[in-house]
Amino acid sequence: MPIVKYITTDQLLVWVNALIAAQTVYGVQAKEQRFAYDALADAADLRLDFDVTILPPKKFFQPLVETIMKFHVDGHYESVTSEEPFIIFGVHPYDVVAIAQMDEVFRANYADTHYLSRRERATIVACDIQNASPSMFAACMGTATVEDGFDILLTKIGDGYVVDVRTAKGEALLVALGDAPDADAGTLARREQFWDDARRFLNKYLLKCKPTDLPALLEDQYEHAIWEHNAGLCYSCGSCNMVCPTCYCFDVQDEVDWTLEKGTRVRKWDSCMLRDFATVAGGHNFRRRREERYRHRFYRKGQYLWQRMGQIACVGCGRCTTACTAKIANPVELYNTLMEG
Amino acid sequence: MSKPRVAIFDFACCEGCQLQIVNMEEELLDLLTHIEPVEWREAMSESSERYDIAIIEGSITRQQDEERLKLIRSRAKVLIALGACATLGGVNKLANGFDDLNEVKKCVYGDAARMPHLLTGQVKAVSEVVPVDYSVHGCPINAEEFGYVIRCLLRGTTPVIPNFPVCVDCKMRESTCRFEYGEICLGPITRAGCGAPCPAAGMWCFGCRGYVDEPNINGARDVMERYRKTVDDLKSRMALFNTGQEQPHA
Amino acid sequence: MPEKIDIGVHHITRVEGHGTIVVRATAGKVEQVEWQVPEAPRFFEAMVRGRSWEEIQTVVSRVCGICSVTHSLAALKAIEDAMDIPVSEQTERLRLLGLNGEYIESHVLHVGYLVAPDLLGVKSVVPLVATNPDLVKLVVRLHRLGNTIMEVIGGRRTHPLAFKPGGMRRIPTERELRSLRAAIEGALPDLQVLAEAVHGLAGKIPAFERDTEYVSLVDRGTYTLYYGNIGSSDTTNTVAVQKFKSIVNEYVSPQSTAKWARWHRESYMVGALARFNLNAGYLLPMAAEMARYLGLARGCCNPYMNSVAQVVETVQAFEHSLQLIDELLTAGLQPETARVIPRSGWGAGAVEAPRGILFHSYAFDDDGTCIGANLTIPTNQNHANIQKDMEKLVPQFLSRGQDELRQLLEMLVRAYDPCISCSTHMLDVRFV
Amino acid sequence: MTESTASQDIYLPMPATIEESKLLTAVDRFFRIRLSSGAELGHMPGQFVEVSVAGIGEAPISLSSSPDTTGVFELVVRKIGRVTDALHALPQGSPVGIRGPFGTTFPVAEALKGQDILVITGGIGLVPVRSAIQYMLNRREDYGEMAILYGTRTPADRLFTDEIEDWRARENVTYLETVDRGDEGWTGNVGVITTLLPKVEVSPVSTRVIICGPPIMYKFVIAALAARGIPLEHIYVSLERRMKCGVGKCGHCQINGYYTCLDGPVFNYAQLSDVPEAI
Ligand SMILES: Cc1cc2nc3c(=O)[nH]c(=O)nc-3n(C[C@H](O)[C@H](O)[C@H](O)COP(=O)(O)OP(=O)(O)OC[C@H]3O[C@@H](n4cnc5c(N)ncnc54)[C@H](O)[C@@H]3O)c2cc1C
Ligand code: SF4
Ligand code: SF4
Ligand code: SF4
């Protein structure tokens, strides 16, 4: 039986503080003029009215720099995985969709225990979008609302929140909430209305086709002039990849400590836009030209991953659009241009 | 295997990069278990002409310094350029922009400008005088990176120094982009590895680690226009640390 | 009495930058005593010309890695003076906190890494790692704390980033300040250990005195590093910072090649001992107690005691930092919103660097482009005084022989904590 | 997509020992490696392993020995970067880490069976195909005509010179080789590898081709084969890309929509003919 409660904002604060007292809670907080996930020390710092975070919640499952094993130069290796449970508070629907996609990537073929152990230990408290990010097109991508992939979903209705609990992990958090009434039919109807609006209006840019049309669209546009034109402005700075919730490329490096005998193997976020991403020893670069890298990113989002797993690897958060100083990363503008032929 | 003998030499600079070596704190003690420091004027009284690794801080400003550097190179098996002054010429290279160096000297030193020790030529990076084996970038250097480079050296392997822009580090730190504040930032064309402390502290990147390979200066021009800045603004920014680098192309 | 003394210390070690000592004596007769500074010139005053007011601090911070906070702040004060830019109390507290971080870092480095080997009879800190590991680790801990303060406030350990004319580019969060406070408090017991260590070595400090004029900032009722006018131990009158040139009277002496600074006498001393002699009455309680414990009293004119004054100031910096953090937290952190509109003007700023009073002055044109600059560095102001000390010291200790004399002279220079890389402005130096 | 339920860390290398290490050329070194567990690696020709040198890193290296060689497996490593330098410097008996085998195989047990085989290989490209050649020679009767074309830059770059003589001596194998530049002792063919092609007979129906060599080689060889009527689906190529994981996660080895580590390194060329980044 699904549990759907309604709580006041004050109750929310008390609840979150109770959770913080019990375990690690990451939540959305203001960072300069933007928002970022960070460990919550006080519920008052939680900003569920955020538009978008600088980095996606992916960083908790695939940390920016992650130790995956320890070694000794005598040839001994030992796997390092995280065992700590944690809660992420305030995940927007498009990021919920992205997380589900990452789950698939890291589970497929060879299961990645590092990602999956973090993922299994996480409780995701999703939160419907109160403010649209400056470049968002989630409604176009069908990610403005979400049906599953989270443990709890919060929706702000009136002065309080509907707390929709979907999993046993979610229920476990309710203990700290104490008594709260079930959401009444009127509130639930208002939530339906909110979702309806979100699905229609949560766009700052309008994609002129359905997301599922993208693979076919790209099929014919490999030589389009836009690739070279835009790439002429591209810094190959990788910002668009770094902020993307569905990018997961990584680099792996060994680092020895001062014993010079022991050390760690770490993986770090990498980016296919960077010049040397496909360069092999000896210097041959399989994607030497800027436009090759620039094009690769859009094809990977709109076609390649679709071919592999039937999902478009773009959830419409608009992060790349904002992050790109050259203003050439906006997927909507790019795909719309391709559509013009 | 006996410990490699290491000597640290300073030329024209603020000695802030040596300070970062001290700033390794406990790690400096670890480092000392693997090397034998034989000369480090700022920290010890001994000196030596026998060393395996020479670490050079500072830019080369005078003929006598060039000679000294060449001598050091001839004695060292490995030579490391430490910090922007050594790798690029650093802020010191601003002096090369002066039309008339004598005027400059007068402006600073008055009539004493003719003194022999003030006989300076063009400011040079270390690699403009002798071959450099490893560069530790930055103004100042990043102590962690220095430690990493030294450990690679002690292990006999080549360090992996990033060849991608500072924006990568900056995004990892979740700093708000300086361009969003209408400021020109050199991050997109500057080599990462510093951890982008500057944007994180609210300052634009001023390019102290030098350009990445193939920086897209044309792209930068277009961005300047968008933010109502001129290419001159950009050039002036780049001049601070990068006068020494050949004009990059797209 | 040794027949012949011939000391030529080319590039004295364990100091910042390059300096040379030359002493010659035959049969008890001193023929030459010279303190020379052959540093490669760097032209900062010319380098900032033509650069924007926004960039000055970034450039001049590079005068000296170890005083980078001080140089940044002196530049900011001068720019703010030139353009009449107001600064919030919060910004000033944060600046002072960063400055205290630099004091801890610099003083601990100087006393722990550079002076201590002399007192313990070794040539560097390296052998102490094996012989006195606890002492070395203590020094490392305190040193790191100074760095941490600078990192939290300035954005990194050297060449701070967060300071800007009129405010802060970034202010630390309350959480950061709280954990900084905890770290400083946690290190207080270390200060006690340090005090005992210094106390134990005090007997090794050479007994040498020379009546000296001391110069530092004075600001009634505080142990000031940042506010106030220029004061002297020779007078109760003070001079406004804008008139700094009138106290730094440079002159050429026939005995030496370095240009000297004088105010009321042939030379004066700046630095920790100068500040102590002028402002000791306003030390915070723990620092005052430390001075008593280490036997440092106002009126001390033994330059070797400068290192002891630095230890006292280290304690002061701890106390003052705690006080500043409490004030910041009590007031509550406010966003810094000040916007600066550049304009033409001339201004000067003074800040007490760990090694003495530092003056910067700049002139700007209408759009804030720098058209003139002057940096007057503490070490430059001390050169004449070092020379005068040597002149008194050499005859007094000549009988001790070449090696001991040489050691005493090196220790003397080191006691001043000279930062010769700072000396962008050195004049008339003969290269030997 | 298949789901794996293995709880094993896919990045954790298996301990192994270098049993033998010897130089084949100035830059190529042969390694015979044994897993410490005593288990068989269990690979098929064309697959690769990730070789770890603790403290330096990992590199993908092709398996060069046939699975018929049991207890150990063989690699050939060209000294060209951090990991490969370190491997060259390791003395015999040193530990290394092994992950794998990974990737697709030359279809020696399926599509190649009963067909005429033409192997075209250049430089270090011989390393992975040697595994296939050994496998097929051990089952010579399973295949039709068999020809091996091998090109290197100079005679000094030739790998496995003893084994080559064995192939040359065999009556049931046509072995031809060429060098870009000869030396005093060289009496053989000089010229690029395509100059050897006219010397072998091929059949659009029964010939199956295996190609592995430097990136530049593929285009010319495939064009020449196409000109002789070989259908694309009868060509198998082994490709190389930068790799960081070997298991389809790190993204480095992508060739348009393909992952070299999962969908390759051995591809049927028909898969790739309209994949712009392939060759
Ligand atoms: C499927 C496959 C099979 C291979 N088989 C062999 C072989 O049998 N013998 C052989 O000598 N070489 C082989 N290579 C190439 C070999 O992997 C590289 O030469 C090696 O990775 C270089 O690593 P390095 O650390 O020495 O060089 P560095 O330049 O220091 O490279 C650093 C890292 O970049 C990546 N990288 C660099 N070059 C390559 C490359 N060419 N391919 C993949 N990743 C690269 C690796 O992760 C490497 O660790 C193969 C490559 C692939 C993809
Ligand atoms: S598209 Fe924009 S964000 Fe992405 S690499 Fe190019 S310049 Fe950087
Ligand atoms: S602030 Fe600078 S370094 Fe950071 S993302 Fe923006 S342009 Fe790049
Ligand atoms: S952000 Fe730029 S200026 Fe700052 S340390 Fe890094 S490279 Fe240097």
Side-chain angles (χ1 to χ4, degrees):
Chain A
M1 208 34 225
I3 308 173
V4 188
K5 301 274 183 194
Y6 184 79
I7 60 172
T8 63
T9 314
D10 286 345
Q11 267 176 305
L12 177 80
L13 291 178
V14 174
W15 180 34
V16 172
N17 275 330
L19 293 174
I20 292 171
Q23 61 175 309
T24 307
V25 182
Y26 299 102
V28 183
Q29 299 171 53
K31 177 149 194 201
E32 292 179 58
Q33 299 177 7
R34 307 276 303 279
F35 296 94
Y37 290 100
D38 203 350
L40 263 183
D42 185 342
D45 297 333
L46 181 66
R47 290 287 299 275
L48 292 179
D49 61 339
F50 72 104
D51 54 359
V52 66
T53 54
I54 299 176
L55 291 183
K58 175 187 76 181
K59 71 177 182 179
F60 297 111
F61 310 124
Q62 187 193 356
L64 298 125
V65 178
E66 177 186 18
T67 299
I68 55 173
M69 66 187 69
K70 292 193 240 172
F71 59 74
H72 189 283
V73 291
D74 67 9
H76 179 78
Y77 295 88
E78 191 185 320
S79 190
V80 178
T81 41
S82 163
E83 305 290 331
E84 200 209 4
F86 60 95
I87 304 168
I88 311 182
F89 223 98
V91 180
H92 275 168
Y94 49 80
D95 277 339
V96 172
V97 174
I99 290 170
Q101 206 174 93
M102 291 304 96
D103 291 352
E104 172 114 19
V105 165
F106 283 98
R107 212 179 281 133
N109 301 304
Y110 295 87
D112 186 311
T113 40
H114 304 278
Y115 177 95
L116 293 175
S117 79
R118 285 198 163 77
R119 182 66 186 84
E120 277 157 21
R121 281 167 182 76
T123 306
I124 295 180
V125 181
C127 153
D128 273 312
I129 302 167
Q130 297 176 31
N131 287 297
S133 77
S135 316
M136 99 141 23
F137 52 104
C140 292
M141 302 307 287
T143 57
T145 60
V146 73
E147 300 289 332
D148 48 29
F150 51 82
D151 299 297
I152 294 181
L153 173 67
L154 302 178
T155 313
K156 185 151 202 268
I157 299 295
D159 292 332
Y161 284 87
V162 175
V163 182
D164 192 336
V165 185
R166 295 295 178 83
T167 65
K169 270 196 220 165
E171 260 180 69
L173 300 196
L174 282 193
V175 180
L177 176 59
D179 280 345
D182 287 344
D184 58 29
T187 308
L188 291 182
R190 282 172 71 192
R191 186 172 70 156
E192 281 302 333
Q193 182 61 48
F194 175 90
W195 282 342
D196 241 33
D197 290 348
R199 281 192 282 263
R200 278 186 294 155
F201 301 121
L202 272 178
N203 287 315
K204 292 287 170 76
Y205 290 91
L206 278 178
L207 185 66
K208 292 186 191 147
C209 67
K210 292 202 299 293
T212 46
D213 296 337
L214 290 174
L217 170 72
L218 286 167
E219 192 58 39
D220 301 327
Q221 302 293 5
Y222 202 75
E223 302 298 337
H224 197 286
I226 189 81
W227 304 122
E228 199 182 329
H229 175 270
N230 282 4
L233 304 175
C234 176
Y235 287 118
S236 303
C237 73
S239 295
C240 47
N241 288 141
M242 302 307 285
V243 299
C244 178
T246 66
C247 275
Y248 53 86
C249 292
F250 57 81
D251 186 23
V252 179
Q253 275 174 26
D254 279 10
E255 287 169 9
V256 289
D257 65 18
W258 281 109
T259 62
L260 302 186
E261 289 179 341
K262 290 183 284 117
T264 52
R265 182 161 285 175
V266 295
R267 66 169 164 196
K268 305 177 180 173
W269 287 13
D270 205 337
S271 147
C272 63
M273 299 297 276
L274 304 180
R275 177 179 176 271
D276 292 337
F277 184 79
T279 304
V280 294
H284 186 82
N285 187 346
F286 287 95
R287 241 174 266 121
R288 189 182 63 80
R289 286 170 28 242
R290 248 178 243 285
E291 60 259 39
E292 292 169 337
R293 299 192 291 273
Y294 179 73
R295 177 175 56 202
H296 178 79
R297 174 173 165 257
F298 288 101
Y299 270 76
R300 191 175 152 107
K301 302 276 162 216
Q303 190 187 59
Y304 302 156
L305 289 178
W306 168 270
Q307 286 164 355
R308 296 195 80 83
M309 53 184 199
Q311 298 184 47
I312 298 295
C314 171
V315 293
C317 66
R319 287 184 177 98
C320 55
T321 308
T322 311
C324 177
T325 50
K327 297 293 165 235
I328 49 168
N330 186 336
V332 178
E333 284 178 357
L334 197 278
Y335 293 132
N336 283 349
T337 307
L338 294 183
M339 245 172 290
E340 285 158 20
Chain B
M1 204 184 79
S2 67
K3 293 179 183 178
R5 296 166 63 85
V6 177
I8 302 180
F9 302 96
D10 44 48
F11 291 83
C13 63
C14 77
E15 303 185 14
C17 289
Q18 288 185 55
L19 185 59
Q20 303 317 306
I21 300 180
V22 179
N23 286 352
M24 291 166 75
E25 317 290 6
E26 279 90 348
E27 286 195 41
L28 179 58
L29 308 184
D30 294 330
L31 169 63
L32 289 173
T33 63
H34 296 290
I35 62 153
E36 188 186 340
V38 295
E39 177 157 354
W40 184 0
R41 193 193 46 73
E42 200 185 302
M44 53 195 279
S45 290
E46 294 90 338
S47 71
S48 173
E49 293 181 358
R50 250 180 4 94
Y51 35 81
D52 304 302
I53 300 173
I55 299 177
I56 311 291
E57 186 196 28
S59 14
I60 311 305
T61 56
R62 298 177 296 190
Q63 189 58 41
Q64 73 225 44
D65 294 339
E66 284 200 25
E67 299 313 322
R68 182 168 160 240
L69 179 59
K70 284 178 187 157
L71 191 65
I72 293 169
R73 174 73 264 192
S74 71
R75 289 171 175 164
K77 295 194 190 89
V78 173
L79 187 139
I80 302 175
L82 189 73
C85 292
T87 60
L88 302 171
V91 284
N92 300 321
K93 273 215 170 171
L94 284 173
N96 289 356
F98 302 141
D99 295 337
D100 183 353
L101 199 62
N102 288 326
E103 277 305 300
V104 170
K105 278 193 217 157
K106 271 225 182 98
C107 141
V108 182
Y109 293 92
D111 287 339
R114 283 166 286 101
M115 297 301 296
H117 86 282
L118 294 180
L119 281 179
T120 59
Q122 288 290 95
V123 176
K124 289 178 182 164
V126 171
S127 64
E128 292 173 77
V129 181
V130 296
V132 168
D133 300 308
Y134 298 101
S135 290
V136 183
H137 298 280
C139 179
I141 59 158
N142 174 325
E144 284 75 33
E145 189 180 43
F146 174 77
Y148 166 72
V149 169
I150 295 292
R151 286 196 300 273
C152 285
L153 225 90
L154 291 170
R155 291 267 295 140
T157 186
T158 318
V160 181
I161 304 298
N163 187 19
F164 48 75
V166 172
C167 298
V168 172
D169 286 359
C170 186
K171 283 286 163 301
M172 284 198 170
R173 263 182 108 146
E174 300 194 67
S175 301
T176 304
C177 180
R178 297 322 297 169
F179 280 95
E180 288 184 33
Y181 293 96
E183 289 172 355
I184 300 175
C185 179
L186 296 188
I189 53 174
T190 302
R191 177 190 305 278
C194 52
C198 302
M203 172 83 189
W204 51 82
C205 164
F206 39 86
C208 75
R209 291 174 60 91
Y211 298 131
V212 287
D213 291 350
E214 296 183 51
N216 191 351
I217 302 292
N218 284 335
R221 288 211 171 92
D222 195 78
V223 171
M224 288 311 112
E225 273 164 36
R226 195 189 328 277
Y227 291 96
R228 295 203 186 72
K229 303 278 179 190
T230 66
V231 175
D232 282 345
D233 294 335
L234 176 73
K235 275 198 189 145
S236 159
R237 276 281 145 88
M238 297 200 303
L240 206 57
F241 272 87
N242 296 296
T243 351
Q245 298 180 73
E246 55 189 284
Q247 186 56 40
H249 34 264
Chain C
M1 176 97 9
E3 184 48 25
K4 201 163 178 63
I5 298 247
D6 190 351
I7 299 175
V9 185
H10 287 239
H11 298 184
I12 177 170
T13 55
R14 280 182 283 137
V15 298
E16 286 258 331
H18 305 88
T20 300
I21 303 167
V22 181
V23 171
R24 286 203 184 82
T26 312
K29 195 169 159 290
V30 179
E31 289 156 353
Q32 188 189 12
V33 176
E34 262 177 44
W35 163 238
Q36 301 164 336
V37 188
E39 186 79 355
R42 293 180 65 210
F43 308 120
F44 274 92
E45 279 118 330
M47 272 150 42
V48 293
R49 277 203 190 177
R51 304 218 65 89
S52 154
W53 63 282
E54 282 187 293
E55 283 176 350
I56 302 291
Q57 177 213 333
T58 307
V59 180
V60 298
S61 167
R62 270 74 187 170
V63 169
C64 173
I66 200 160
C67 325
S68 58
V69 171
T70 320
H71 276 283
S72 296
L73 297 187
L76 295 179
K77 281 183 77 183
I79 294 164
E80 285 155 0
D81 185 39
M83 300 186 184
D84 248 334
I85 303 169
V87 180
S88 72
E89 202 172 2
Q90 171 174 286
T91 287
E92 297 210 312
R93 282 186 177 130
L94 289 167
R95 286 180 183 177
L96 284 171
L97 194 48
L99 188 58
N100 277 306
E102 182 160 284
Y103 266 70
I104 296 172
E105 191 276 329
S106 177
H107 281 351
V108 170
L109 174 84
H110 184 242
V111 176
Y113 287 106
L114 309 182
V115 174
D118 282 332
L119 302 180
L120 292 163
V122 292
K123 293 190 163 194
S124 77
V125 75
V126 178
L128 298 182
V129 177
T131 57
N132 302 49
D134 291 342
L135 184 66
V136 173
K137 285 196 179 124
L138 171 81
V139 168
V140 163
R141 278 199 304 275
L142 291 171
H143 185 251
R144 190 187 30 232
L145 184 67
N147 272 327
T148 306
I149 299 178
M150 286 193 283
E151 196 160 22
V152 170
I153 306 301
R156 74 175 157 203
R157 289 171 277 196
T158 303
H159 299 319
L161 299 154
F163 303 124
K164 69 169 183 183
M168 295 291 289
R169 295 184 188 280
R170 174 188 184 273
I171 56 170
T173 62
E174 274 186 28
R175 211 192 296 180
E176 285 171 332
L177 286 181
R178 282 213 188 84
S179 64
L180 193 57
R181 192 184 197 293
I184 297 172
E185 260 201 316
L188 291 178
D190 278 349
L191 286 179
Q192 196 48 47
V193 184
L194 179 76
E196 279 155 27
V198 175
H199 195 253
L201 291 171
K204 306 241 166 102
I205 294 174
F208 166 76
E209 294 190 334
R210 186 178 71 82
D211 194 35
T212 301
E213 175 179 6
Y214 293 97
V215 173
S216 78
L217 283 177
V218 289
D219 191 39
R220 278 224 332 249
T222 60
Y223 196 93
T224 181
L225 306 177
Y226 179 87
Y227 299 102
N229 288 341
I230 311 165
S232 159
S233 55
D234 282 7
T235 168
T236 49
N237 294 333
T238 65
V239 173
V241 166
Q242 282 73 9
K243 299 218 173 80
F244 73 93
K245 278 196 176 152
S246 72
I247 76 127
V248 191
N249 300 291
E250 288 177 323
Y251 71 106
V252 179
S253 145
Q255 304 125 289
S256 170
T257 50
K259 224 178 199 181
W260 291 352
R262 72 168 158 214
W263 188 1
H264 297 98
R265 314 185 196 183
E266 283 179 308
S267 72
Y268 62 83
M269 179 175 180
V270 300
L273 188 58
R275 287 187 291 265
F276 180 85
N277 275 331
L278 272 82
N279 295 322
Y282 313 120
L283 281 169
L284 295 168
M286 271 165 52
E289 176 53 36
M290 179 65 97
R292 266 192 298 283
Y293 176 62
L294 295 178
L296 182 66
R298 265 185 101 150
C300 167
C301 56
N302 177 352
Y304 291 98
M305 290 297 277
N306 195 47
S307 308
V308 175
Q310 289 179 321
V311 175
V312 172
E313 286 194 336
T314 306
V315 178
Q316 167 82 4
F318 268 78
E319 270 181 292
H320 194 203
S321 298
L322 288 173
Q323 192 180 320
L324 286 163
I325 294 174
D326 289 343
E327 286 167 11
L328 282 160
L329 289 174
T330 310
L333 294 171
Q334 309 299 326
E336 291 277 340
T337 49
R339 275 191 55 85
V340 173
I341 297 159
R343 60 155 127 133
S344 67
W346 178 92
V351 176
E352 284 286 342
R355 38 199 64 67
I357 191 166
L358 166 70
F359 303 104
H360 279 208
S361 72
Y362 302 95
F364 296 97
D365 70 7
D366 289 340
D367 56 355
T369 303
C370 177
I371 50 175
N374 182 301
L375 319 183
T376 299
I377 303 320
T379 296
N380 282 348
Q381 299 172 64
N382 272 338
H383 282 315
N385 214 59
I386 296 176
Q387 174 75 30
K388 293 289 164 203
D389 278 353
M390 283 186 180
E391 287 171 14
K392 176 154 191 238
L393 186 140
V394 170
Q396 190 176 326
F397 291 93
L398 201 56
S399 58
R400 302 273 181 99
Q402 166 131 346
D403 289 347
E404 204 180 325
L405 184 59
R406 176 196 166 108
Q407 170 76 357
L408 281 171
L409 289 169
E410 285 197 27
M411 284 170 67
L412 175 73
V413 173
R414 245 170 247 136
Y416 275 82
D417 191 6
C419 185
I420 304 163
S421 58
C422 271
S423 312
T424 56
H425 202 89
M426 219 72 60
L427 288 158
D428 288 75
V429 183
R430 188 163 57 84
F431 191 76
V432 287
Chain D
M1 248 181 186
T2 55
E3 259 193 33
S4 157
T5 48
S7 63
Q8 175 76 50
D9 181 353
I10 50 170
Y11 303 109
L12 192 68
M14 300 177 272
T17 310
I18 299 178
E19 256 185 28
E20 189 189 346
S21 156
K22 65 173 184 223
L23 270 183
L24 298 183
T25 73
V27 290
D28 301 306
R29 188 176 270 278
F30 168 87
F31 294 92
R32 182 171 288 125
I33 293 174
R34 185 182 297 276
L35 294 178
S36 307
S37 65
E40 290 295 332
L41 186 63
H43 70 284
M44 282 297 279
Q47 289 194 291
F48 66 95
V49 283
E50 285 278 354
V51 184
S52 276
V53 183
I56 311 289
E58 246 186 350
I61 303 293
S62 305
L63 288 151
S64 195
S65 53
S66 142
D68 303 324
T69 309
T70 54
V72 293
F73 53 90
E74 294 165 0
L75 310 174
V76 175
V77 177
R78 174 160 292 181
K79 184 172 157 49
I80 194 166
R82 303 171 78 246
V83 175
T84 50
D85 284 358
L87 277 169
H88 272 238
L90 286 180
Q92 270 166 212
S94 297
V96 287
I98 297 291
R99 291 195 295 130
F102 296 126
T104 53
T105 72
F106 295 113
V108 284
E110 303 96 28
L112 297 187
K113 263 196 165 166
Q115 308 293 346
D116 297 338
I117 305 293
L118 170 59
V119 176
I120 306 174
T121 174
I124 197 174
L126 179 62
V127 170
V129 298
R130 171 177 176 257
S131 172
I133 292 172
Q134 285 185 345
Y135 183 96
M136 292 186 287
L137 290 180
N138 289 346
R139 298 164 181 75
R140 185 64 190 86
E141 63 288 352
D142 286 355
Y143 307 90
E145 298 291 315
M146 204 169 150
I148 303 169
L149 313 186
Y150 181 35
T152 57
R153 264 181 302 146
T154 72
D157 295 325
R158 293 153 76 238
L159 303 170
F160 298 113
T161 43
D162 295 348
E163 229 164 307
I164 283 174
E165 290 318 315
D166 174 51
W167 301 341
R168 203 196 305 276
R170 282 183 184 244
E171 291 193 345
N172 54 6
V173 174
T174 308
Y175 174 80
L176 299 173
E177 63 183 334
T178 183
V179 296
D180 294 349
R181 262 178 297 113
D183 58 18
E184 296 99 74
W186 183 253
T187 53
N189 196 68
V190 176
V192 293
I193 190 127
T194 39
T195 58
L196 295 179
L197 264 181
K199 303 182 184 175
V200 289
E201 298 216 351
V202 294
S203 146
V205 181
S206 61
T207 302
R208 299 292 179 275
V209 191
I210 287 176
I211 310 176
C212 185
I216 174 106
M217 198 185 91
Y218 293 86
K219 204 170 271 167
F220 296 103
V221 170
I222 289 168
L225 292 171
R228 297 182 63 184
I230 307 280
L232 301 183
E233 53 272 26
H234 291 180
I235 302 176
Y236 296 89
V237 295
S238 173
L239 299 182
E240 186 196 327
R241 286 297 184 275
R242 185 185 182 89
M243 248 176 224
K244 280 295 179 183
C245 72
V247 290
K249 312 287 184 212
C250 80
H252 283 272
C253 72
Q254 250 189 301
I255 302 174
N256 296 103
Y258 290 118
Y259 283 107
T260 311
C261 61
L262 296 178
D263 310 317
V266 178
F267 292 90
N268 182 301
Y269 190 66
Q271 282 174 283
L272 298 180
S273 56
D274 57 354
V275 174
E277 289 182 347
I279 59 173

